[in-house]
Amino acid sequence: MVLLGQQHLAAHRGPSRRSRALVLAAGLAVLFPGGWLLADRYGDRPPWAEDVAYEAGFLHGNRVRQYDPTGEEAAELLAGGCERLAASGDAGVKAAYDPGRWATGCRDGAAGKQPAEQGLLG
């Protein structure tokens, strides 16, 4: 960019390629082992798996309640259907993280309650 009264262009150099490469290598040296440790620690079970199980159960119960025109399926979930689904393994992978929390979320969703312990302040 040429300013008024300035007759030459000034090039502003950034960091050298060597500096950029060193910063990139240092960042990768920290991030790759960190990711490896997280994957090794949790495997297939994510951090906060109890919250994931509750939310999955809540969504299941809420969807059943919303799409049930007669209300029979929601009543069946409230009468112990959530526990039977979680115990039989038909509730899905997320229910396996914590079947009790999944069933609690399922009952809350089927009853039309607000999700418990959700949000930033939990």
Side-chain angles (χ1 to χ4, degrees), residues 68-82:
D68 184 15
T70 61
E72 293 176 9
E73 292 181 40
E76 193 273 326
L77 286 179
L78 291 171
C82 293

Side-chain angles (χ1 to χ4, degrees), residues 16-108:
S16 68
R17 288 184 182 162
R18 181 175 182 248
S19 297
R20 288 183 193 171
L22 288 174
V23 167
L24 179 64
L28 289 175
V30 170
L31 291 177
F32 184 72
W36 187 278
L37 288 174
L38 281 175
D40 186 49
R41 166 73 169 91
Y42 292 106
D44 290 336
R45 181 182 168 91
W48 308 289
E50 295 79 18
D51 293 339
V52 171
Y54 177 84
E55 289 175 10
F58 181 83
L59 288 175
H60 178 76
N62 194 27
R63 288 179 184 147
V64 167
R65 182 180 58 83
Q66 288 179 348
Y67 296 110
D68 184 15
T70 61
E72 293 176 9
E73 292 181 40
E76 193 273 326
L77 286 179
L78 291 171
C82 293
E83 288 79 5
R84 284 192 294 276
L85 279 173
S88 68
D90 293 333
V93 175
K94 293 178 183 176
Y97 297 152
D98 191 342
R101 292 277 293 161
W102 188 92
T104 303
C106 178
R107 282 192 310 274
D108 288 350

